[in-house]
């Protein structure tokens, strides 16, 4: 409970103003300096924080340069902040696998992401094990997996591809926005059995996805400043915290609306079909559990947080990955050609049953064995992991494989983004997009241990939805690459956004046209 209690607001305000003035002074000094130190300089009162603030606009690349210079690990010190930052694969294996129980997410993590409540995103210990067991049971259900596959195919066949087919060749669109809409609708259909309809011709406002993005953006800021700062802003309802409060309200409103639509069901649906429908959606496995409902059988805060957690897990991973993958594909047309060569035998076989006026869709069982398509996907996730940074707390003093000592209560930040760019891990061409690195000489997919390729986490907390999300993404990519051509629009910079989720700061603008297949 002490974690959530705050000092008197006026004391916090004075501390905040002192910190702000110190940061401003150091920031001006850093901006006026012509040389950039190998590692951040430590200033009185504010430590290394000014260097981070000065490079916040390029945080992930800045962190990568520091880790490369420091040999994959360094200690960050700031005002009431002490982080051990690493991308050392031996450390990662130790933290995520070998000594997993000593490195939970911790109470401060749960406070930072309070929008997730006590759901499995934040949970540790017995609560996490119980919730994970339930998710694992769900993700092994043939009925649910079949339902999720239908949701993906339906949204692809009746939403994404028709939308793109209507596009004029001279019209550009933001593919990041497109994939956000697609994955949001698809995830809501899997969780609630309801299509929010964001991917339609009129392109309605993306209010709820924007609220989800605000949660991740503010979560990043909370990670980067002393906890007293963001807790003061939360208390005063100012700055990013005001935005977060509005976002959380919007997410709760969305869940209430979806729950109502789920309960009501389509008016034309008979009782038998309604019961079949409720058996396969994620919400139906929680709604009758007393742990997730109040004394009147209504959803409680725990259920709201759990369903919001599912929405984040489904939308952010897939939508972000697809955006960066198509960025890489557009930049490397030879990769697109290789994927099309791999798809060609399947397409020729399907051509006899597919009308020339319709776009071809590839089934999961057809794309699952495709090695090069898989390699192109994983290579993009290596360079642009959807979750670029992980945070852990030290339970008891320990010595990491790198030789660094970490103490109880200390925070560890693991940069997945940096790990994919370490020459010692991936070779001298580590910054190049080269799917071939994932293909062995015998043509089979190269196995890379999860502590080296952390996009799906590692150890006991590894992603339970990895297989189904990869299958879905391969089907989407196959259909889009086979049926369409893409051309990047110039005049803007594509770069990562400083957030907990690795979205693009300016979107991904491209022209899309129907491909002429000979």
């Amino acid at each position: 409970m002490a974690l959530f209690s705050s000092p008197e607001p006026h004391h916090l305000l004075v501390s905040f103003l002192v910190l702000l003035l110190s940061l401003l002074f150091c920031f001006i000094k850093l901006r006026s300096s012509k040389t950039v130190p190998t590692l951040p300089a430590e200033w009185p009162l504010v430590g290394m924080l000014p260097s981070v603030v000065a490079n916040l606009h390029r945080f992930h690349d800045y962190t990568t340069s520091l880790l490369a210079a420091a040999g994959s690990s360094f200690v960050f010190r700031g005002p009431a902040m002490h982080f051990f930052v690493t991308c050392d694969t031996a450390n990662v294996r130790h933290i995520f696998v070998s000594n997993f129980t000593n490195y939970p997410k911790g109470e401060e993590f749960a406070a930072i992401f309070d929008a997730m409540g006590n759901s499995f995103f934040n949970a540790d210990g017995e609560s996490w094990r119980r919730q994970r067991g339930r998710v694992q049971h769900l993700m092994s259900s043939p009925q649910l997996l079949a339902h999720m596959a239908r949701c993906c195919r339906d949204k692809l066949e009746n939403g994404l591809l028709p939308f793109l087919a209507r596009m004029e060749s001279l019209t550009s669109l933001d593919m990041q926005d497109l994939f956000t809409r697609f994955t949001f609708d698809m995830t809501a259909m899997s969780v609630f059995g309801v299509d929010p309809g964001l991917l339609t011709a009129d392109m309605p406002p993306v209010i709820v996805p924007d609220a989800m993005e605000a949660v991740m953006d503010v979560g990043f800021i909370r990670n980067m400043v002393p906890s007293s700062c963001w807790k003061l802003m939360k208390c005063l309802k100012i700055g990013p915290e005001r935005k977060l409060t509005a976002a959380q309200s919007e997410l709760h409103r969305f869940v209430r609306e979806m729950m109502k639509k789920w309960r009501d069901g389509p008016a034309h649906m008979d009782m038998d079909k309604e019961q079949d429908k409720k058996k396969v959606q994620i919400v139906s496995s929680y709604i009758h559990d007393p742990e997730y409902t109040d004394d009147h059988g209504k959803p409680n805060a725990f259920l709201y947080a759990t369903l919001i957690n599912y929405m984040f897990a489904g939308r952010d991973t897939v939508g972000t990955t697809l955006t960066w993958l198509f960025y890489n594909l557009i930049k490397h047309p030879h990769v697109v050609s290789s994927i099309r060569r791999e798809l060609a035998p399947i397409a020729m076989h399907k051509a006899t049953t597919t009308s020339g006026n319709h776009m071809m869709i590839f089934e999961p069982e057809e794309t699952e064995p495709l090695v090069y398509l898989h390699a192109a996907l994983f290579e993009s996730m290596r360079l642009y992991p959807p979750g670029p940074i992980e945070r852990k707390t030290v339970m008891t003093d320990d010595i990491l494989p790198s030789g660094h000592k970490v103490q109880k209560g200390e925070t560890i930040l693991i940069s997945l983004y940096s790990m994919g760019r370490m020459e010692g891990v991936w070779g001298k061409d580590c910054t190049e997009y080269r799917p071939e690195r994932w293909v062995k000489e015998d043509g089979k997919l190269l196995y890379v241990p999860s502590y080296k390729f952390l996009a799906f986490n590692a150890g006991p907390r590894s992603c339970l939805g990895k297989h189904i999300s990869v299958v879905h993404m391969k089907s989407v990519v196959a259909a889009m690459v086979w049926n369409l051509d893409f051309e990047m629009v110039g005049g803007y910079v594509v770069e990562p956004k400083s957030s907990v989720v690795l979205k693009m700061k300016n979107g991904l603008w491209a022209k899309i046209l129907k491909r002429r297949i000979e």
Side-chain angles (χ1 to χ4, degrees), residues 302-450:
F302 192 18
L303 180 57
Y304 271 75
T306 299
L307 296 175
I308 289 170
N309 196 156
Y310 275 111
M311 287 300 300
F312 274 98
R315 188 207 74 143
D316 286 342
T317 302
V318 176
T320 304
T321 298
L322 288 174
T323 303
W324 284 108
L325 174 59
F326 272 89
Y327 166 71
N328 284 307
L329 294 181
I330 295 171
K331 285 181 61 181
H332 301 87
H334 70 280
V335 175
V336 175
S337 298
S338 295
I339 293 174
R340 286 172 176 169
R341 280 196 296 272
E342 196 173 41
L343 289 168
I346 305 171
M348 288 178 63
H349 178 73
K350 294 172 70 72
T352 56
T353 58
T354 303
S355 170
N357 295 324
H358 292 86
M359 292 193 186
M360 187 172 292
I361 294 177
F362 298 86
E363 304 300 334
E365 58 270 20
E366 294 171 327
T367 60
E368 191 169 4
L370 301 183
V371 172
Y372 193 83
L373 174 56
H374 200 117
L377 174 63
F378 273 26
E379 177 69 348
S380 186
M381 296 185 80
R382 175 184 74 84
L383 289 169
Y384 301 100
I389 196 162
E390 284 273 354
R391 177 179 175 134
K392 299 287 187 179
T393 300
V394 182
M395 285 291 288
T396 60
D397 296 358
D398 196 11
I399 300 177
L400 297 173
S402 62
H404 293 86
K405 295 181 180 180
V406 290
Q407 297 180 333
K408 178 181 179 180
E410 190 172 345
T411 297
I412 298 180
L413 299 180
I414 303 97
S415 176
L416 284 67
Y417 184 91
S418 302
M419 189 187 300
R421 289 166 165 75
M422 289 293 113
E423 185 175 320
V425 180
W426 296 99
K428 292 184 177 180
D429 63 349
C430 59
T431 59
E432 296 178 19
Y433 177 74
R434 194 172 65 83
E436 290 75 15
R437 78 174 76 244
W438 291 85
V439 184
K440 298 191 294 186
E441 290 184 3
D442 62 2
K444 295 181 180 179
L445 191 71
L446 176 71
Y447 168 74
V448 176
S450 56

Side-chain angles (χ1 to χ4, degrees), residues 12-156:
L12 280 173
L13 185 58
V14 171
S15 300
F16 179 72
L17 289 174
V18 171
L19 176 63
L20 189 63
L21 290 172
S22 301
L23 276 173
L24 182 60
F25 171 76
C26 298
F27 180 80
I28 294 171
K29 292 283 288 181
L30 280 170
R31 283 292 192 182
S32 62
S33 175
K34 294 183 179 180
T35 60
V36 179
T38 304
L39 289 177
E42 280 198 63
W43 301 81
L45 296 178
V46 292
M48 300 176 177
L49 189 58
S51 296
V52 173
V53 173
N55 290 278
L56 204 59
H57 62 289
R58 52 182 292 270
F59 174 81
H60 298 298
D61 287 311
Y62 176 62
T63 303
T64 300
S65 66
L66 294 179
L67 285 167
S72 300
S73 301
F74 70 92
V75 177
F76 170 84
R77 298 178 184 86
M81 302 168 74
H82 188 276
F83 297 152
F84 178 73
V85 187
T86 188
C87 66
D88 184 301
T89 56
N91 287 346
V92 169
R93 183 177 188 179
H94 181 80
I95 293 166
F96 285 78
V97 183
S98 306
N99 201 12
F100 167 76
T101 55
N102 194 48
Y103 297 94
K105 291 193 171 185
E107 292 182 342
E108 188 65 28
F109 182 98
I112 288 171
F113 295 102
D114 52 6
M116 303 293 192
N118 296 322
S119 70
F120 51 89
F121 182 82
N122 284 336
D124 285 314
E126 182 56 35
S127 174
W128 167 76
R129 280 187 286 272
R130 187 178 68 256
Q131 292 187 63
R132 182 176 173 86
R134 185 167 202 147
V135 177
Q136 191 167 21
H137 177 73
L138 271 174
M139 290 296 108
S140 63
S141 164
Q143 293 88 350
L144 177 63
L145 294 178
H147 172 67
M148 294 172 73
R150 286 194 300 271
C151 292
C152 179
R153 195 187 198 287
D154 178 68
K155 206 65 196 175
L156 176 63

